[in-house]
């Protein structure tokens, strides 16, 4: 199967549409959480996702906060405002869609979580120390995560001493090897100083993974954010990709 693996859409419909068009025909779509928060299109993104074939979707921390499963006081003031705006904007049906998302899914030998195998919703895997620790909690050879908004790959070698970190180049394919944690990056709010939307394509038979980036009309999203009176800092950061 050709599977779209993507994360952190953050209510950015324009970026999501660009990813779907660029990815082309897929057999399944695995979304690793944070469908909402920050962006202006939470209802539209949740509805668009449901058109995708064999969709699997994991709960992210912003989704959990929107559902009041996580106290919004745990977020910085601007992210908290975006969560409150999202709570007031989402319709009942789309809130219900978020409310049934699992924190973790295992598909054959692949674990899907938003944060990490140790803390599925909340932990950021930003360094090799935490990534190495994470492998102790992983029940499958492979794990796909989101949450940091940075495309990355961690691999724990046979000696299990310390994970190695790789920053991928877009368009470059790689073969999956056991004890890998992969992050496809963020669709709607990249944070690696590359403002293009990020995603990955998995071929689960060939065991191959490819990272991709795609340009989208950032200004149109910024205009909708301004109209919704969302945080100026969040509007600005989309252009710079941080
Ligand atoms: Zn996120």
């Amino acid at each position: 199967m050709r599977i779209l693996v993507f994360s952190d859409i953050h209510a950015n419909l324009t970026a999501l549409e660009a990813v779907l068009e660029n990815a082309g025909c897929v057999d399944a779509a695995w979304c690793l959480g944070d469908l909402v928060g920050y962006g202006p299109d939470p209802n539209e993104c949740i509805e668009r996702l449901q058109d995708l074939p064999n969709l699997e979707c994991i709960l992210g921390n912003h989704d959990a906060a929107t559902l009041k499963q996580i106290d919004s006081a745990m977020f910085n003031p601007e992210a908290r405002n975006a969560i409150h705006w999202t709570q007031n904007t989402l319709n009942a049906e789309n809130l219900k869609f978020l409310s049934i998302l699992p924190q973790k899914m295992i598909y054959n030998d692949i674990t899907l979580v938003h944060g990490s195998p140790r803390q599925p919703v909340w932990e950021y895997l930003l360094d090799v120390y935490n990534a190495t620790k994470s492998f102790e909690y992983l029940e499958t050879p492979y794990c796909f995560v989101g949450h940091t908004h940075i495309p990355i790959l961690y691999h724990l070698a046979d000696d299990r001493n310390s994970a190695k970190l790789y920053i991928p180049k877009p368009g470059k394919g790689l073969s999956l090897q056991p004890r890998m944690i992969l992050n496809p990056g963020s669709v709607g709010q990249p944070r690696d100083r590359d403002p293009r939307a990020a995603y990955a394509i998995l071929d689960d038979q060939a065991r191959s993974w490819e990272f991709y980036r795609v340009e989208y009309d950032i200004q149109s999203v910024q205009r909708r954010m301004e109209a919704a009176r969302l945080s100026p800092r969040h509007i600005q950061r989309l252009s710079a990709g941080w």
Side-chain angles (χ1 to χ4, degrees):
M1 284 207 299
R2 189 170 186 270
I3 302 169
L4 169 65
V5 186
F6 59 144
S7 191
D8 297 275
I9 298 162
H10 283 295
N12 183 336
L13 183 67
T14 312
L16 175 62
E17 292 289 8
V19 162
L20 297 178
E21 196 190 325
N22 199 254
C25 192
V26 293
D27 303 300
W30 294 353
C31 173
L32 305 172
D34 277 1
L35 286 59
V36 301
Y38 298 126
D41 319 306
N43 286 304
E44 294 81 352
C45 285
I46 292 174
E47 285 153 19
R48 183 69 180 91
L49 280 181
Q50 291 172 76
D51 298 337
L52 301 181
N54 298 311
L55 174 72
E56 301 294 354
C57 215
I58 299 297
L59 183 80
N61 57 314
H62 285 256
D63 309 320
T66 300
L67 294 164
K68 301 185 179 168
Q69 293 174 2
I70 291 179
D71 188 350
S72 61
M74 290 176 71
F75 290 75
N76 68 53
E78 287 169 317
R80 196 184 312 144
N81 284 343
I83 288 162
H84 293 157
W85 180 88
T86 305
Q87 287 168 339
N88 293 329
T89 304
L90 272 185
N91 65 38
E93 211 170 311
N94 291 332
L95 266 175
K96 194 170 166 221
F97 180 85
L98 288 186
S99 74
I100 55 168
L101 299 181
Q103 292 192 2
K104 174 173 137 182
M105 250 200 64
I106 295 181
Y107 181 89
N108 293 333
D109 53 2
I110 302 169
T111 300
L112 309 180
V113 287
H114 181 63
S116 79
R118 180 162 57 176
Q119 287 179 43
V121 181
W122 197 256
E123 184 178 28
Y124 289 90
L125 289 185
L126 284 163
D127 56 63
V128 288
Y129 176 78
N130 282 313
T132 305
K133 277 266 153 226
S134 279
F135 280 102
E136 292 171 20
Y137 298 81
L138 189 58
E139 301 152 297
T140 58
Y142 313 103
C143 183
F144 301 163
V145 302
H147 197 33
T148 62
H149 300 204
I150 295 172
I152 216 163
L153 154 63
Y154 295 102
H155 185 217
L156 188 66
D158 292 342
D159 60 17
R160 291 178 174 267
N161 271 341
S162 178
K164 290 216 164 20
L165 172 161
Y166 300 92
I167 306 280
K169 282 201 172 59
K172 200 152 189 245
L174 59 96
S175 299
L176 291 192
Q177 291 167 42
R179 292 184 303 280
M180 272 189 175
I181 297 176
L182 295 121
N183 188 327
S186 166
V187 171
Q189 197 199 72
R191 291 182 188 161
D192 59 349
R193 301 273 166 192
D194 180 342
R196 295 176 298 169
Y199 70 97
I201 294 288
L202 167 75
D203 184 324
D204 66 336
Q205 259 97 55
R207 303 266 118 181
S208 67
W209 170 285
E210 227 167 304
F211 287 98
Y212 288 95
R213 299 305 281 258
V214 55
E215 284 181 15
Y216 70 96
D217 183 358
I218 294 173
Q219 286 179 2
S220 71
V221 184
Q222 291 172 319
R223 284 194 294 272
R224 292 200 297 284
M225 289 174 80
E226 274 163 23
R229 297 169 166 248
L230 288 161
S231 144
R233 208 170 70 96
H234 292 161
I235 296 171
Q236 227 176 42
R237 70 190 299 180
L238 286 184
S239 326
W242 58 272

